[in-house]
Amino acid sequence: MAGELEGSKPLSGLLSGLAQEAFHGHQGITEELLRSQLYPDVSLEEFRPFLAKMRGILKSIASADMDFNQLEAFLTAQTKKQGGITCDQAAVISKFWKSHKTKIRESLMNQSRWDSGLRGLSWRVDGKSQSRHSAQIHTPVAIMELEIGKSGQREGASKHFLQKNHDPQVESEFLCLEFDEVKVNEVLKKLSEVEESISTLMQPA
Amino acid sequence: MEDCGEPQLDAKSKVTNQLVDFQWKLGMAVSSDSCRSLKYPYVAVLLKVMDHSGQVKNKSFEMTIPQFQIYEKCSKLVIIREMQIKITTRYHTCQKD
């Protein structure tokens, strides 16, 4: 039976399933589903520790956001451990991380973002023929609508990796703002300040 | 928002607000329980907005750097251009405050 677990082909599918559940918020990927789909000839008792081992490895790699050197060193160490992984399995894991790293990282970043995000921005410029607040005629006014909402987050993570739940997406709030010329310039000045800070931060050390 | 050329506002919100204050923060998420090596910068914004009744509310949100840069670029290029077009066609009256 151990030979069944050493095969590479189903391992790729297993890692996809683990990633979908752990990082991308796909619910309903149970131990039994993975076993029956990918390792049907392996008993649940034997499958469980194998799944835990792969889950732990994937979690470690994702948590450390390993680059390819770190990944190679880590996987080599895993092949030398008692009860570790085979070289073939290491190769499958390596290939998986290389092709899924960006997407997994993006999901992890979203999970860590607890404040609302800006989901969208729409705008229009009107030429107001009359203003309540002044006697000016044909004052341009920018109207901007911001779509603000929270992305999916983990809720009440349980001890079991496969039982974490993800909040469904919360509905957006639409915030409509009106800007006259003066306000537009003020805001754009602030945006330039932010951009300047970003440039300073991003400068190579 | 990839294309910032054509304004397409069909406002979903029924009420417009005035922007009273705009505060920003450039942050760096270093680590979290789900990822020990996050290392991503983000822009956090706090808007103080006033509705027609004079009530002031705070609205806050975060953006990634690429997201911020897209919105900033669109705001600068498109809104400024549109404002200028409208300004040059307006009928001049006394403009001194």
Side-chain angles (χ1 to χ4, degrees), chain A residues 72-91:
Chain A
E72 200 179 309
F74 175 74
L75 290 175
T76 304
Q78 293 297 312
T79 61
K80 294 182 173 14
K81 259 171 73 168
Q82 178 79 342
I85 59 177
T86 66
C87 291
D88 284 347
Q89 287 170 341

Side-chain angles (χ1 to χ4, degrees), chain A residues 105 116 118 123 173 176, chain B residues 17 19 38 59 62 67 78:
Chain A
R105 179 165 165 74
S116 299
L118 184 62
W123 63 270
E173 178 190 352
C176 206
Chain B
N17 302 271
L19 182 67
L38 271 176
K59 303 283 178 192
E62 278 181 29
Q67 210 180 12
V78 186

Side-chain angles (χ1 to χ4, degrees), chain B residues 46-97:
Chain B
L46 175 68
L47 303 177
K48 284 191 199 294
V49 300
M50 182 173 72
D51 63 21
H52 292 296
S53 72
Q55 191 183 19
V56 177
K57 283 188 222 174
N58 287 347
K59 303 283 178 192
S60 64
F61 54 87
E62 278 181 29
M63 289 177 270
T64 62
I65 300 298
Q67 210 180 12
F68 168 79
Q69 287 171 330
I70 288 171
Y71 292 138
E72 190 217 1
K73 183 180 140 198
C74 287
S75 303
K76 279 187 169 159
L77 292 178
V78 186
I79 296 178
I80 280 281
R81 186 186 75 207
E82 284 295 310
M83 296 285 271
Q84 283 171 345
I85 287 168
K86 294 260 173 0
I87 288 163
T88 57
T89 58
R90 80 179 160 190
Y91 180 78
H92 288 282
T93 58
C94 175
Q95 294 182 36
K96 297 278 190 295
D97 285 333

Side-chain angles (χ1 to χ4, degrees), chain A:
Chain A
M1 282 304 164
E4 303 277 353
L5 291 173
E6 283 172 15
S8 329
K9 208 170 162 192
L11 179 58
S12 194
L14 187 77
L15 294 171
S16 286
L18 283 171
Q20 279 297 326
E21 200 283 335
F23 308 123
H24 308 313
H26 193 292
Q27 291 175 346
I29 298 179
T30 61
E31 260 178 2
E32 180 50 34
L33 179 72
L34 291 171
R35 188 202 68 80
S36 62
Q37 292 291 312
L38 299 165
Y39 297 90
D41 298 330
V42 177
S43 70
L44 193 57
E45 289 72 33
E46 212 177 340
F47 180 69
R48 204 169 263 153
F50 170 73
L51 182 67
K53 181 168 64 182
M54 291 305 161
R55 176 203 307 146
I57 287 172
L58 186 59
K59 206 177 169 186
S60 296
I61 295 170
S63 185
D65 190 32
M66 287 187 192
D67 61 30
F68 302 140
N69 290 332
Q70 290 169 317
L71 180 70
E72 200 179 309
F74 175 74
L75 290 175
T76 304
Q78 293 297 312
T79 61
K80 294 182 173 14
K81 259 171 73 168
Q82 178 79 342
I85 59 177
T86 66
C87 291
D88 284 347
Q89 287 170 341
V92 171
I93 295 168
S94 177
K95 191 178 171 195
F96 179 83
W97 179 244
K98 283 171 186 172
S99 47
H100 290 85
K101 178 185 160 113
T102 306
K103 209 170 160 219
I104 288 174
R105 179 165 165 74
E106 210 177 289
S107 289
L108 284 171
M109 281 163 58
N110 280 336
Q111 281 182 8
S112 311
R113 196 171 294 133
W114 300 329
D115 204 352
S116 299
L118 184 62
R119 286 183 177 168
L121 182 79
S122 306
W123 63 270
R124 191 179 71 224
V125 175
D126 290 351
K128 254 191 176 170
S129 58
Q130 180 180 335
S131 167
R132 211 176 330 139
H133 302 294
S134 79
Q136 289 184 341
I137 300 177
H138 297 305
T139 309
V141 167
I143 301 185
M144 200 179 281
E145 186 169 73
L146 287 73
E147 184 183 355
I148 298 168
K150 290 194 195 297
S151 56
Q153 296 159 211
R154 289 179 308 148
E155 179 192 59
S158 76
K159 285 179 190 170
H160 197 292
F161 194 71
L162 286 174
Q163 286 173 2
K164 285 177 187 168
N165 292 317
H166 292 261
D167 278 338
Q169 268 205 342
V170 177
E171 269 191 34
S172 294
E173 178 190 352
F174 291 92
L175 178 69
C176 206
L177 299 172
E178 206 175 83
F179 300 84
D180 61 17
E181 192 187 341
V182 169
K183 213 61 179 180
V184 163
N185 287 327
E186 272 177 33
V187 169
L188 292 177
K189 186 163 172 279
K190 293 253 182 181
L191 295 180
S192 293
E193 289 171 5
V194 183
E195 186 58 44
E196 212 178 292
S197 266
I198 291 171
S199 300
T200 308
L201 178 72
M202 299 306 199
Q203 261 167 25

Side-chain angles (χ1 to χ4, degrees), chain B residues 17-56:
Chain B
N17 302 271
Q18 301 289 323
L19 182 67
V20 173
D21 193 23
F22 173 132
Q23 294 179 29
W24 61 269
K25 174 174 75 184
L26 179 62
M28 175 73 84
V30 174
S31 186
S32 76
D33 68 324
S34 57
C35 186
R36 293 289 185 264
S37 183
L38 271 176
K39 295 176 298 183
Y40 78 83
Y42 61 90
V43 177
V45 169
L46 175 68
L47 303 177
K48 284 191 199 294
V49 300
M50 182 173 72
D51 63 21
H52 292 296
S53 72
Q55 191 183 19
V56 177

